[in-house]
Amino acid sequence: MAAVQGQETLIGLIDEVLFAVAQTQQRVLVTENVGDFRTLDAQYRAQGLSHLGLILTTNLKYPHQGSAGIGRLIRALEAWVAEHPGEAEADSQLWWL
């Protein structure tokens, strides 16, 4: 797992470019920006393109205040990966965390 904030070249990229980079790096993208990335998912599908998947979440479920919220999100992502081996390789899937 890698966060955008941990990769200087990704900081500040618009959603479309970030999504494309995730595809070239063969990564599933985790985002709270549900509306914009569901729109990008729909655009990919309309063009007959696939992507490696999106994991959608909200700041309400995993608040960012303090390290506890981020820690809960990381643990939830680790549990998701353990419970869904190989699923992240499925074409254009959307999962809610």
Side-chain angles (χ1 to χ4, degrees), residues 15-87:
D15 295 339
E16 293 85 353
V17 174
L18 185 59
F19 196 47
V21 168
Q23 305 325 300
T24 62
Q25 293 182 356
Q26 297 186 25
R27 294 181 182 267
V28 172
L29 195 131
V30 179
T31 184
E32 293 176 350
N33 188 350
V34 174
D36 288 351
F37 281 93
R38 287 194 72 177
T39 298
L40 287 170
D41 168 64
Q43 290 172 355
Y44 265 61
R45 291 171 191 269
Q47 295 173 22
L49 301 173
S50 63
H51 57 79
L52 291 172
L54 289 166
I55 297 177
L56 308 170
T57 188
T58 69
N59 187 40
L60 295 174
K61 189 164 185 180
Y62 299 99
H64 297 252
Q65 292 77 18
S67 60
I70 297 297
R72 284 183 54 233
L73 176 59
I74 290 170
R75 286 189 300 279
L77 286 168
E78 289 172 340
W80 185 91
V81 169
E83 292 171 11
H84 301 88
E87 255 187 75

